[in-house]
Amino acid sequence: MSRYSMGIFKKLVLYLIDMGKEVNLYLCPLLASLWYRIENDGGLNEYYILYKIEIFVNEIARKYSLRIKNYYNPYNLNIKEKNFYNTHYLQYEQLNKFLNFTLNSDNKKGKQYNLHI
C-alpha cells in the first residue's frame, strides 16, 4: 500500500467523519487455505502487504475511534472456501451473511458507511 493510497484513504475517512457519518472498517476474510498458508507455511513473505494493511487500518481506527468489524482470518466467521470468488473476494451474496452488511435505519438515512478493505 503506497503512501499516496494511505493518504487518500485517510482523507476519505476524515471527509465522512466531518460530514457526520459513522464509519466502520471491514477487513474481508481470506480463503481458508490461503490463510493457513500465511499463518503456517511461511506465506508471510509473499503476502506481507496484508499485515501492512492491517497495521494501517488499526492505526486509523485507533486515531479516529472507528470500529474494525472483521479481520482476514476466515475461521472467526466459519467461512467456507465455496463462499469465495477467488482467494481474496467473498461472493457478493455472502457479504450480508458473514459480515452483516445489513441496512439498518442509520445506513438507510446515509449516516453510516462501511469501508471494505
Side-chain angles (χ1 to χ4, degrees), residues 15-104:
Y15 172 77
L16 292 171
I17 291 170
D18 287 346
M19 297 297 293
K21 310 299 181 183
E22 177 187 340
V23 178
N24 298 305
L25 304 174
Y26 286 83
L27 292 170
C28 193
L30 299 173
L31 193 67
S33 57
L34 175 59
W35 183 254
Y36 179 86
R37 184 171 166 215
I38 290 169
E39 289 288 292
N40 299 298
D41 295 337
L44 174 59
N45 293 329
E46 188 175 347
Y47 294 97
Y48 182 72
I49 186 67
L50 296 175
Y51 289 97
K52 286 180 67 175
I53 291 171
E54 194 168 323
I55 290 166
F56 171 70
V57 168
N58 277 297
E59 288 172 357
I60 294 270
R62 220 176 3 265
K63 185 172 184 176
Y64 301 111
S65 301
L66 305 177
R67 288 185 294 161
I68 301 174
K69 294 206 170 185
N70 191 58
Y71 287 91
Y72 293 121
N73 185 342
Y75 299 114
N76 293 340
L77 299 173
N78 196 27
I79 296 176
K80 307 293 183 215
E81 302 225 356
K82 67 180 181 179
N83 301 124
F84 287 84
Y85 287 119
N86 58 31
T87 57
H88 187 67
Y89 295 102
L90 196 59
Q91 293 173 357
Y92 181 76
E93 299 81 19
Q94 303 299 320
L95 290 174
N96 284 338
K97 179 179 177 183
F98 292 112
L99 300 180
N100 195 23
F101 279 156
T102 56
L103 292 176
N104 60 32

